[in-house]
Amino acid sequence: MSEESTAVTHPFLDLAPLSAAHFASIEDRVARLLGTEQDVVIMQGEALLPLEGAIRGTAGPGTTALNVITGPYGQTFGNWLRDCGATVIDLAVPFHTAVTAAQIREAFAEHPSIDFVSLVHAEAATGNTNPVAEIGEVVREHGALFYLDAVASIGAEPVLPDAWGVDLCVIGAQKAMGGPAGVSAVSVSERAWARMAANPGAPRRSYLSLLDWKERWVDGGRTALLHAPAQLEMLALEACVERIEGEGLDAVMTRHASAAAATRAGAVALGGGLAPYVDAASDAAPVATTLRVPENVDASAVVAKALAADPALPLAAGGGALAQSMIRVNHYGPDATRGAVHSSLAALGAALAESGLTVDLEGARRAVALAWD
């Protein structure tokens, strides 16, 4: 048999190379999704790549950074900032709340030298979301560079870097956008590019380098890519954005907000000692709902029982120290549906009942139906 006759083709493998023009067109669609006139760079890795690259590009020994901690990622950003030699002022708030613009204003009053603010918009891990528009006004008043992790929030709630004065806005597609995890994007303001160019410690000739993309890609008219792109992930990102465009971004966000409200209401009606982890509904993220379990109940065991009945449910126990006390309902992307919420609460109810707790499955079902917008 000839070599030619034994060749096996596959639609994922035998694709024409992704052109620079196609790559640029995907960046343009992401920019439209963000409603931004800033440069948007799609980076070939999970969102931690631009998150770290943006900090290392703009922060250094002369930086005084206000690092807001409302969940685990804020802690990571503080570590990166310190690694860069920045002076870091951590503003930590309880994970069941959100930071306020007033707290940001107080931090500036106490530390007038702050010239960099890092913030996570929505923390999927803890279920809170922060009022970025109000915080952005305060940051602009003081002229600081504003860095925002919008990885979990994009697609679930408005993300408007230009309107909010965000200089570095990082997004990933793997949560509310319902897309791939292997590519991510960052919008970069002219102020942020200038800060990088003036930073002797900014990564150069490095996978972390945004300046490499600026000089070799953006400034070159986006005609020659730095390296071979992650083709499958780029095509998946394009399909993901196309699907959002088809449904309409407002409709996608409404679906996530409805899923969050229904999960919160359904969990309260379900009983069994479940309660929303984030105290105020206004502080709760639409991307995921976190729930407290009673003190004598192990959240990880409840989740394990629920997943044993249906491994496809969007359920997880809290991370780290929260594993025994928190349940996460990850109603994002394709799971931002009434059916996913109903199934998740039913499985949690069955697991809690198995542990001897009293639950009201029918009450939860009614509450979900009433809360869904």
Side-chain angles (χ1 to χ4, degrees):
M1 188 177 292
S2 70
E3 184 176 318
E4 182 178 351
S5 65
T6 59
V8 177
T9 62
H10 194 288
F12 288 166
L13 302 178
D14 303 308
L15 296 168
L18 192 74
S19 69
H22 194 171
F23 192 105
S25 73
I26 299 172
E27 284 184 334
D28 290 341
R29 292 176 89 160
V30 172
R32 287 195 294 272
L33 185 70
L34 288 168
T36 184
E37 298 296 323
Q38 298 176 4
D39 292 323
V40 169
V41 177
I42 295 179
M43 300 194 77
Q44 305 298 281
E46 198 270 338
L48 282 173
L49 175 62
L51 286 169
E52 182 174 358
I55 281 181
R56 295 196 183 278
T58 52
T63 303
T64 300
L66 175 63
N67 179 51
V68 182
I69 302 175
T70 58
Y73 280 100
Q75 295 168 330
T76 297
F77 300 159
N79 293 336
W80 288 339
L81 287 161
R82 290 182 177 89
D83 285 347
C84 294
T87 299
V88 181
I89 298 140
D90 285 327
L91 171 56
V93 302
F95 290 178
H96 60 272
T97 64
V99 71
T100 66
Q103 289 172 303
I104 302 295
R105 194 180 299 279
E106 289 168 9
F108 273 108
E110 189 174 348
H111 305 278
S113 61
I114 292 169
D115 61 359
F116 184 100
V117 175
S118 52
L119 175 71
V120 178
H121 187 183
E123 291 267 12
T126 48
N128 55 27
T129 192
N130 293 301
V132 182
E134 298 169 21
I135 291 168
E137 290 182 14
V138 178
V139 176
R140 275 198 304 272
E141 289 172 13
H142 292 83
L145 206 72
F146 193 8
Y147 163 101
L148 183 70
D149 171 354
V151 173
S153 54
I154 182 66
E157 55 187 305
V159 176
L160 303 168
D162 291 11
W164 296 342
V166 178
D167 296 287
L168 295 155
C169 182
V170 177
I171 66 169
Q174 69 266 33
K175 288 190 167 62
M177 289 177 66
V183 289
S184 48
V186 55
S187 64
V188 187
S189 72
E190 289 300 324
R191 292 198 322 146
W193 284 133
R195 181 80 69 98
M196 285 184 224
N199 179 11
R204 306 300 294 268
R205 297 168 295 282
S206 163
Y207 209 58
L208 284 171
S209 177
L210 282 167
L211 277 177
D212 287 355
W213 282 96
K214 166 69 170 169
E215 295 172 359
R216 297 171 56 191
W217 172 247
V218 177
D219 291 349
R222 300 191 300 176
T223 59
L225 288 161
L226 275 65
H227 47 72
Q231 172 143 303
L232 293 178
E233 286 80 3
M234 288 295 295
L235 294 174
L237 175 61
E238 181 179 43
C240 159
V241 175
E242 186 174 303
R243 186 167 60 183
I244 292 171
E245 291 170 346
E247 182 177 352
L249 179 58
D250 286 345
V252 175
M253 291 190 294
T254 296
R255 188 158 48 79
H256 282 82
S258 296
T263 302
R264 191 176 177 93
V268 171
L270 180 65
L274 284 185
Y277 181 83
V278 177
D279 290 342
S282 58
D283 293 341
V287 70
T289 298
T290 47
L291 304 170
R292 295 182 189 274
V293 297
E295 288 186 7
N296 60 339
V297 173
D298 183 345
S300 60
V302 172
V303 170
K305 288 179 182 178
L307 291 177
D310 185 353
L313 291 173
L315 297 172
L322 298 172
Q324 291 187 316
S325 59
M326 176 193 285
I327 292 171
R328 283 170 41 200
V329 184
N330 295 317
H331 45 66
Y332 53 70
D335 288 315
T337 64
R338 198 185 311 238
V341 172
H342 274 305
S343 297
S344 296
L345 291 174
L348 290 175
L352 289 167
E354 190 177 328
S355 300
L357 296 167
T358 301
V359 296
D360 182 356
L361 294 174
E362 181 57 26
R365 189 196 66 76
R366 288 195 302 270
V368 168
L370 286 171
W372 195 276
D373 183 15

